[in-house]
Amino acid sequence: MTDVLHQRPGTDRTTGKASPPAKPRRAGLPRLLRGSGPRRPNYPAGLASLLWLVIVGAPLYVLVATTFRAREAYYDDGPLTLPTHPTLANYDRVLSSNFFTYLGNTLVVTAVCATIVIVLSVTVGYAVVRARGRVSRRVFQIFLLGLAIPSQAVIIPIYLVITKLHLYDTLLAVILPTAAFSLPVSVLILAGTMRDIDEELYESMALDGAGPTRVLLRLVVPMSRAGISTVGVYSALHAWNGFMFPLILTQSRENRVLTLGLYDYVGEFRVDTPALLTAVVLSIVPIFVVYLFARRQLINGLMGVGGK
């Protein structure tokens, strides 16, 4: 008993000889990964990624490279060859034309449409979520019905209404129907976002004596920033890329937007492709920058459409 108590650690009790040191345990590793060698490269996935890169990058290369070609070189060499004599003449031609007029009109239409859609969708979504009555449900159903109505199906009634209101060939004629067709999706997004706000927060605001307007401005709007950002980006993209309403509801060059300004480079018998693609590149840069900074809010807002 005494020998056992005074036995040194690391010795065998029967022979008294030193026992071999125990191997360290590799804790924290899954059993399947212990002793496994280096992982093999996934060649099919790499080839598929390379193929996808070519599919996505080839149109972008043609778009950007063509803007640095002369029109004669584009038709002689083809779109896939490298520009042998790069030139900025296309950019100079586009910027010296009516491009800034079209850009200003597009910015006005986009900003006003986004503002109208944000203000109306926030108030309508708040009323739908908090009222919970028959009228609010019917209003929400009417907005959802707008998702099933394509704009092409009602362009003639819209044209008649715009002409009766003496708004034809104005920017307001483009703004009103563009904002109206952006509202159904925007109300759906914000209603789903506002349903995620805890009921206890509404009750605490009511106990503090806050009215509906104060609750909307101090609670709902700050906690719905992701949904509001999503609605803003969506409505801005919809207005920026709009083509049918500007084509039918405007006529003069002073009220053209960028999508219609591309017709300046399309003649009766020929198309100036390098200048046309230059105008396309310049027109997508502003909205691409907006999307680049707001893409996270856009994704977060879309993920909350369905509520909890």
Side-chain angles (χ1 to χ4, degrees):
M1 183 68 181
T2 309
D3 296 338
V4 175
L5 292 177
H6 293 282
Q7 184 182 3
R8 290 178 300 174
T11 58
D12 194 345
R13 295 180 180 179
T14 57
T15 62
K17 297 180 180 180
S19 59
K23 294 182 179 180
R25 297 180 61 186
R26 289 176 289 181
L29 290 176
R31 183 175 298 177
L32 294 176
L33 295 180
R34 295 176 185 174
S36 60
R39 302 180 64 181
R40 296 181 179 179
N42 192 343
Y43 293 107
L47 292 176
S49 301
L50 182 62
L51 178 61
W52 179 251
L53 180 63
V54 172
I55 293 174
V56 175
L60 294 177
Y61 163 75
V62 173
L63 177 64
V64 176
T66 305
T67 62
F68 297 100
R69 300 174 186 269
R71 183 174 58 187
E72 294 78 10
Y74 172 78
Y75 290 113
D76 293 340
D77 300 336
L80 295 178
T81 58
L82 291 173
T84 55
H85 301 286
T87 178
L88 296 176
N90 297 315
Y91 288 91
D92 182 66
R93 178 187 174 187
V94 172
L95 294 177
S96 61
S97 61
N98 295 317
F99 178 80
F100 288 105
T101 301
Y102 304 152
L103 178 62
N105 293 336
T106 306
L107 289 175
V108 171
V109 171
T110 302
V112 176
C113 282
T115 303
I116 293 175
V117 171
I118 289 175
V119 172
L120 292 180
S121 58
V122 167
T123 53
V124 172
Y126 176 67
V128 167
V129 172
R130 296 302 301 165
R132 298 177 182 176
R134 181 178 300 178
V135 177
S136 64
R137 289 198 301 268
R138 291 290 180 266
V139 170
F140 188 58
Q141 291 172 359
I142 291 173
F143 275 97
L144 292 182
L145 184 62
L147 297 173
I149 301 177
S151 57
Q152 296 83 358
V154 294
I155 187 60
I156 295 178
I158 291 176
Y159 174 81
L160 295 176
V161 171
I162 292 297
T163 53
K164 290 293 183 181
L165 295 175
H166 303 286
L167 296 177
Y168 181 75
D169 198 20
T170 63
L171 294 182
L172 195 59
V174 180
I175 292 171
L176 294 179
T178 302
F181 278 91
S182 298
L183 276 175
V185 175
S186 302
V187 171
L188 179 64
I189 292 173
L190 284 180
T193 302
M194 293 176 184
R195 286 194 181 98
D196 288 341
I197 301 176
D198 292 337
E199 187 69 24
E200 297 178 355
L201 298 177
Y202 289 109
E203 295 176 356
S204 62
M205 291 287 291
L207 292 176
D208 291 339
T213 304
R214 184 181 174 186
V215 173
L216 174 64
L217 298 179
R218 300 294 297 274
L219 175 65
V220 176
V221 172
M223 298 195 68
S224 303
R225 289 178 181 175
I228 294 174
S229 300
T230 303
V231 168
V233 174
Y234 167 76
S235 58
L237 286 172
H238 190 209
W240 189 276
N241 297 324
F243 178 76
M244 186 180 64
F245 291 141
L247 177 65
I248 296 177
L249 302 177
T250 59
Q251 185 177 8
S252 62
R253 188 180 296 270
E254 292 76 15
N255 292 317
R256 281 187 178 181
V257 295
L258 284 174
T259 51
L260 291 183
L262 299 179
Y263 276 108
D264 291 348
Y265 311 101
V266 179
E268 185 177 359
F269 300 105
R270 65 178 181 178
V271 178
D272 190 351
T273 305
L276 176 62
L277 295 184
T278 302
V280 171
V281 170
L282 292 175
S283 64
I284 65 178
V285 169
I287 199 65
F288 177 75
V289 173
V290 173
Y291 173 76
L292 191 64
F293 286 98
R295 66 186 186 278
R296 181 172 299 179
Q297 289 80 4
L298 178 65
I299 296 174
N300 292 336
L302 290 176
M303 289 175 63
V305 170
K308 288 186 177 179

